[in-house]
Amino acid sequence: MRKNLYKFAALTMFAALSITACKKHEAVDISGIHTSAAETMAETTSNETKADPATDNSKSDSSKTDASKAGSSEVETQKDSNASDALSVKSKIATEKTGKVSIEYPILSNLRDASMTQAVNELLKKEATSIITAWELDTEKDEVSINCDLVSLDKNKAVFTFHGMVNVAETAHPSNVRYAVSVNLNTGSPIGLTAYADVDSIAEYLSSDDVVVVEPADIAAEVKDSIKSSGKDLWQTVFAECDFTSVKDGTFPQAFSYEKDGDIYLIVPVSHAAGDYALVKYSPETK
């Protein structure tokens, strides 16, 4: 497998965007990461619990109770006390820790179809941690810290986003990482962009004056100009490899998407100066 599997759009803040292939990034201070395998879990119970997509990189301040275990620790948080346990899907956040790599991933329980539980959880963990193999990271040398956030959870669908930093040894700077995973809880299958939009419409939208940049909010206007000026053809190329549903195993998508309340949120590659990824909102006319 070739070294440069991760493709992203490298652009300056005011220049056109272009696709490059790059595995090597720079270092991030992750001094608190453990070097032995461990697991941490925070639980969410919800009939339909949702996080604001514009702030999905923030953590809940709910109280947590630690319970020590051999080789692992567990933290549980009740985020929706009004939800009925008998009717609600439950979500816990676990952490895969190996060497210098720390990646959070969700574990679901209480699914309507209990027989789908294993398939759903295997898929969630696989896609959450796929960056290790896709970027060909060395867990003993490359530093990785990625957090998982719940966007929405109900009896039919779960949506999670992931954000953090990857620092490949001996590189100039760390890279920000942001991606999303959506799963159909009735079939145990991933949900991708083609479930609610088509590549041509998205590419047209991103190259128009209508594009709405949610994050980074402080430089939204500049990022919008850069995204718009990149052109429809480039965005068609990028979104041909959107979400894990559109790429082969071992390959990291160039962009990501998820749906919430009829709106589609797009995680698109931008310049490193702009944060490497931007969150864009697309509201279909037919929603």
Side-chain angles (χ1 to χ4, degrees):
M1 184 181 296
R2 64 191 177 89
K3 295 293 182 182
N4 298 327
L5 287 173
Y6 169 58
K7 296 180 180 178
F8 64 94
L11 64 147
T12 63
M13 284 299 298
F14 306 99
L17 177 153
S18 63
I19 300 299
T20 64
C22 174
K23 177 206 166 191
K24 297 296 183 182
H25 311 284
E26 195 184 0
V28 59
D29 180 11
I30 316 177
S31 57
I33 285 184
H34 301 291
T35 56
S36 60
E39 186 175 271
T40 302
M41 293 188 284
E43 183 178 46
T44 299
T45 304
S46 176
N47 219 7
E48 187 165 353
T49 301
K50 299 183 179 182
D52 187 342
T55 58
D56 64 1
N57 61 345
S58 64
K59 285 298 184 181
S60 171
D61 292 329
S62 301
S63 60
K64 299 181 180 181
T65 303
D66 295 327
S68 299
K69 292 185 177 181
S72 67
S73 61
E74 181 175 292
V75 179
E76 294 189 359
T77 304
Q78 187 73 21
K79 296 183 179 179
D80 185 359
S81 58
N82 294 321
S84 169
D85 288 351
L87 301 175
S88 304
V89 178
K90 296 181 180 180
S91 172
K92 289 183 178 181
I93 300 299
T95 304
E96 177 79 2
K97 293 187 178 182
T98 306
K100 295 184 177 182
V101 173
S102 175
I103 301 177
E104 291 185 348
Y105 63 93
I107 298 176
L108 302 185
S109 61
N110 210 37
L111 274 63
R112 179 166 55 181
D113 182 354
S115 67
M116 298 307 305
T117 303
Q118 181 176 350
V120 166
N121 285 327
E122 287 178 352
L123 177 65
L124 287 169
K125 183 175 182 180
K126 174 187 175 183
E127 297 193 342
T129 60
S130 65
I131 192 170
I132 299 174
T133 53
W135 285 27
E136 296 187 349
L137 299 171
D138 185 331
T139 59
E140 298 304 317
K141 296 180 180 179
D142 302 331
E143 297 177 335
V144 181
S145 179
I146 298 174
N147 296 323
C148 172
D149 292 300
L150 172 66
V151 174
S152 67
L153 177 64
D154 60 37
K155 62 184 179 180
N156 297 312
K157 183 176 70 172
V159 180
F160 295 90
T161 56
F162 302 82
H163 64 94
M165 301 283 285
V166 174
N167 172 35
V168 176
E170 301 178 358
T171 53
H173 54 74
S175 283
N176 295 300
V177 178
R178 191 166 189 167
Y179 50 104
V181 175
S182 301
V183 180
N184 184 319
L185 302 183
N186 299 312
T187 64
S189 58
I191 302 171
L193 178 66
T194 55
Y196 31 74
D198 64 87
V199 171
D200 190 68
S201 296
I202 294 300
E204 183 74 33
Y205 172 70
L206 290 174
S207 57
S208 73
D209 289 329
D210 297 326
V211 61
V212 175
V213 176
V214 178
E215 295 181 1
D218 56 336
I219 52 172
E222 293 91 333
V223 173
K224 174 181 177 177
D225 288 342
S226 183
I227 290 173
K228 180 178 64 175
S229 65
S230 298
K232 180 177 178 179
D233 290 346
L234 186 138
W235 289 118
Q236 285 178 320
T237 300
V238 170
F239 277 88
E241 296 184 5
C242 178
D243 301 313
F244 291 102
T245 55
S246 65
V247 298
K248 296 178 180 179
D249 284 348
T251 304
F252 205 70
Q254 296 192 55
F256 298 87
S257 69
Y258 61 90
E259 186 272 342
K260 181 178 182 291
D261 295 338
D263 292 319
I264 299 170
Y265 291 86
L266 309 167
I267 299 173
V268 303
V270 294
S271 68
H272 179 67
D276 296 317
Y277 287 94
L279 181 64
V280 173
K281 179 181 178 181
Y282 172 60
S283 298
E285 295 179 357
T286 56
K287 78 169 186 176

